[in-house]
Amino acid sequence: MTATVPLVFLTACSPLKVLSVLSPSRHYAPELDLHYGSDERQRLDVYLPSPVPETAPLVVFFYGGSWTNGDKADYEFVAASLTEAGIVVVIPNYRLYPAVRFPAFVEDGADAVAWSLANISSYCVDPSSVYVMGHSAGAHIAAMLAMNGDYLASHDIETDALGGFIGLSGPYDFPVSYTHLTLPTITSGCSSRWGRYHLMGGGGGGGGGGGG
């Protein structure tokens, strides 16, 4: 009975917060709320494996949320898993719609990657092993950084500086001439819901849209 009491209180939390609370944290050391830009949303968290290896790969992880919501603090469980494997993890916040429009999300991603590359010597990172990773809308950001050289080029960085791209359930191709798409969502049981996906683009740079 005693062992289940903490879980009772966690039922009021979001699933992401529950994952983070239950993730082990003894094997990493966090550095939180580091600025990579002047906006309040342009902050990132760095998670270092403990003990820090002599050289480690680095993953910059972008979370999803339809480009409209999300917070880096909710994804500590991602860092917990990766640092356990000896990986340095950077999780940035980025500006959100409607305060900004595409491609501002990706530009923030480029700023965060540029910050990470500029600071790798402080974290014993192998410069040939820097990866961008994302889930859903964050996978779109990571893909754009890996595939479209314009974003990192604004920092005089070539995409070859990245060791690779890891995408999880990402939206990668949008017909940007449309103002909206109405698509069926996942069917659960006998019921089906329909979702409206808005393309929040300002034009150019290759598709912004309604991922999760």
Side-chain angles (χ1 to χ4, degrees):
M1 181 70 176
T2 334
T4 61
V5 171
L7 296 180
V8 173
F9 293 100
L10 289 175
T11 55
C13 300
S14 73
L16 292 176
K17 290 187 182 297
V18 171
L19 283 171
S20 291
V21 168
L22 296 180
S23 296
S25 58
R26 292 186 300 274
H27 59 273
Y28 69 77
E31 295 184 6
L32 307 178
D33 285 329
L34 304 177
H35 289 270
Y36 69 87
S38 57
D39 190 88
E40 183 63 22
R41 292 281 307 175
Q42 293 172 323
R43 298 189 183 199
L44 53 79
D45 295 340
V46 178
Y47 295 85
L48 303 171
S50 181
V52 179
E54 288 186 12
T55 58
L58 181 144
V59 167
V60 183
F61 176 80
F62 299 96
Y63 53 77
S66 301
W67 298 274
T68 63
N69 63 85
D71 190 272
K72 56 186 174 56
D74 293 337
Y75 293 85
E76 179 272 342
F77 69 94
V78 174
S81 296
L82 294 176
T83 51
E84 193 167 18
I87 299 169
V88 176
V89 182
V90 172
I91 304 181
N93 273 344
Y94 50 91
R95 291 171 296 167
L96 301 171
Y97 179 87
V100 297
R101 291 175 174 265
F102 179 86
F105 329 115
V106 188
E107 291 168 347
D108 283 2
D111 291 347
V113 169
W115 184 97
S116 300
L117 289 171
N119 288 276
I120 55 176
S121 60
S122 304
Y123 300 116
C124 301
V125 168
D126 177 359
S128 66
S129 300
V130 176
Y131 301 88
V132 287
M133 176 181 180
H135 170 253
S136 196
H140 177 267
I141 293 173
M144 293 297 287
L145 295 175
M147 305 299 175
N148 186 329
D150 292 344
Y151 295 106
L152 290 176
S154 64
H155 296 277
D156 297 320
I157 299 170
E158 296 185 2
T159 54
D160 288 348
L162 299 177
F165 153 69
I166 305 158
L168 307 171
S169 304
Y172 304 116
D173 186 18
F174 291 103
V176 293
S177 59
Y178 297 159
T179 56
H180 67 269
L181 294 173
T182 302
L183 300 171
T185 61
I186 297 173
T187 302
S188 175
C190 297
S191 64
S192 178
R193 297 178 294 112
W194 289 77
R196 195 167 186 82
Y197 289 72
H198 294 273
L199 298 184
M200 301 173 294

